[in-house]
Amino acid sequence: MNFPSVEAGPVRGRTPLRELSVFVLVVCGLAWLVFTPVLLNGASPSDPAFALASQLFMFTPAVAALLVTFLLWRPGNVRRALGLTPLRPVRRVGGYTLLAFAVFVLLPAVSLFAAVVFGVVRLDLEDFSGLREELTALAPEVAATMPRDGFPLEAYLVVLGMVMVSFVPTLLMCFGEELGWRGYLLPRLLPLGVWPALLVSGVVHGLWHGPQLLIHSLSGSFGPGDVLTFLASVVLLGVVLGWLRLVSRSVWPAVVGHAANNAFLMVIPITLMHADGSNDPGLYPGGNGGLIGLAVTALAALVVTLFLRKRVSGAGA
C-alpha cells in the first residue's frame, strides 16, 4: 500500500507547559478519583466494581483533553486540532486505520510464535485443548456441543462473534483514551520534537494507570517486574500509535489500533496455545505480555518507526 507523505503539523513555538501541567493533573486526578471507592473497599481486579471503574476510567483522558482545550488552549478549529477531522483524503486516513487494525491484531500472534520458538509455550493444533478450556469457561452452554476432538468450529464462531460485538463498546472506550493521549497530548508536545513528544506522552499514559497497577499489586496479581513490563509496553505501544496519529494527521487510526489491541489481544493465543499454558509467565503469560511480548512490541515500534518516519515532516526533530 503506497501511502502519501504528510506533515505532522506545526512543531515550532513554545511548549505550553502550564496547559500541559493542568492536563496531567486533571487526567491523573480523575483517574484516582474513579478508583478511590475501589481502593477504599479493598476490591480486587476480579471484582465487578473494578471492571466498572476501569470502564469509566478510560473516558478520563477525553474529559481532561476537552476541558483544557476549551478553557485554556482554545484553538480556532477544535475538531481539526484534536485530529477528529478532516477524514479526507480517505485513502490516507482509511489506509492508516486499516494498517493500525492489522498491526494490533497480528502483534499477539508474533509474540506467541516467538514464545514457541523460545520453548516457553507449546501449541496444540490437534485437540486445541487451550481453546476448549477457554470456551468452556466463556460459554459453557455452547461448549457442551463441542465435538470430542478436532477444531470446535461452531463453538469458536459463537465466541468469536461475541468478541466482534464487544469491539464496538471497546472502540468507544478507546476513543475516550485516544482523544486525550494522541488527539490532544501528543500534538501539544511536538514543540519538544517528535521523539520527545512520543516518549513523554507514552510515559504520562503509563503513569495514568497508577491506580489500576496499585490495585493489581495489592491483590498480588502484579509484582514489581510486571508493573515495569506493563509501563514499558504502554510507552512502546504509544510509539506505534503515535506514529500512526502523526502520519495520518488523524486520531482515528490510533483509536482503532488501540481498540483492536484491547479486543483481540488474546484471540490468537487462546486459539492455538496448549491448555498447559506458559511454563514461565514472566517471559510470556499470553497476549503481548512478559519479556518476550515486550521485545516483540519494541520490534514493532522500530519497524513502524522506520516505515513511517520519512512520511512525517519534522520527524528528525
Side-chain angles (χ1 to χ4, degrees):
M1 192 177 295
N2 185 22
F3 295 105
S5 178
V6 297
E7 296 181 355
V11 295
R12 296 181 180 179
R14 293 184 178 181
T15 305
L17 293 179
R18 173 174 170 268
E19 178 191 311
L20 290 170
S21 298
V22 172
F23 171 79
V24 172
L25 288 173
V26 171
V27 75
C28 291
L30 289 174
W32 283 97
L33 182 64
V34 166
F35 278 104
T36 294
V38 180
L39 284 164
L40 292 177
N41 291 328
S44 71
S46 60
D47 194 291
F50 178 85
L52 177 60
S54 296
Q55 292 171 354
L56 295 174
F57 166 73
M58 292 181 73
F59 291 100
T60 59
V63 173
L66 291 173
L67 285 174
V68 171
T69 297
F70 282 105
L71 297 179
L72 296 178
W73 181 15
R74 292 181 288 216
N77 188 326
V78 171
R79 289 178 296 177
R80 182 181 288 270
L82 295 177
L84 297 171
T85 60
L87 298 178
R88 294 184 178 184
V90 174
R91 177 168 164 262
R92 183 182 73 203
V93 178
Y96 285 113
T97 299
L98 289 174
L99 177 63
F101 183 85
V103 165
F104 284 95
V105 169
L106 294 177
L107 194 57
V110 179
S111 298
L112 172 63
F113 287 111
V116 171
V117 169
F118 284 99
V120 179
V121 300
R122 59 194 179 103
L123 305 180
D124 184 354
L125 303 181
E126 294 183 2
D127 294 326
F128 298 92
S129 55
L131 174 60
R132 290 171 176 275
E133 187 174 89
E134 289 295 330
L135 290 176
T136 300
L138 293 172
E141 294 182 1
V142 176
T145 66
M146 290 189 298
R148 293 186 178 182
D149 51 25
F151 188 78
L153 179 60
E154 292 185 10
Y156 182 75
L157 290 176
V158 170
V159 174
L160 187 60
M162 293 165 57
V163 173
M164 294 296 293
V165 169
S166 74
F167 183 69
V168 176
T170 300
L171 196 65
L172 179 62
M173 289 185 286
C174 288
F175 171 77
E177 280 201 50
E178 289 303 321
L179 188 65
W181 307 132
R182 257 63 62 174
Y184 167 78
L185 182 59
L186 176 61
R188 295 301 279 160
L189 287 167
L190 283 177
L192 297 174
V194 174
W195 269 108
L198 289 168
L199 295 177
V200 171
S201 60
V203 169
V204 174
H205 184 186
L207 295 177
W208 167 77
H209 284 90
Q212 278 186 325
L213 294 173
L214 177 60
I215 292 170
H216 276 285
S217 298
L218 292 174
S219 70
S221 58
F222 271 26
D226 299 311
V227 171
L228 291 175
T229 300
F230 176 83
L231 292 174
S233 178
V234 169
V235 174
L236 290 170
L237 290 172
V239 169
V240 178
L241 294 169
W243 280 118
L244 290 165
R245 159 66 167 111
L246 296 178
V247 77
S248 66
R249 298 184 71 179
S250 171
V251 75
W252 297 110
V255 171
V256 170
H258 196 154
N261 178 75
N262 287 13
F264 298 100
L265 182 65
M266 292 302 297
V267 170
I268 293 176
I270 284 174
T271 302
L272 302 179
M273 281 177 64
H274 195 280
D276 291 343
S278 173
N279 58 39
D280 191 335
L283 283 177
Y284 181 74
N288 294 322
L291 294 179
I292 289 177
L294 185 63
V296 170
T297 303
L299 179 61
L302 175 61
V303 170
V304 168
T305 297
L306 294 174
F307 180 64
L308 299 182
R309 182 175 178 272
K310 293 182 179 180
R311 304 173 189 273
V312 177
S313 175

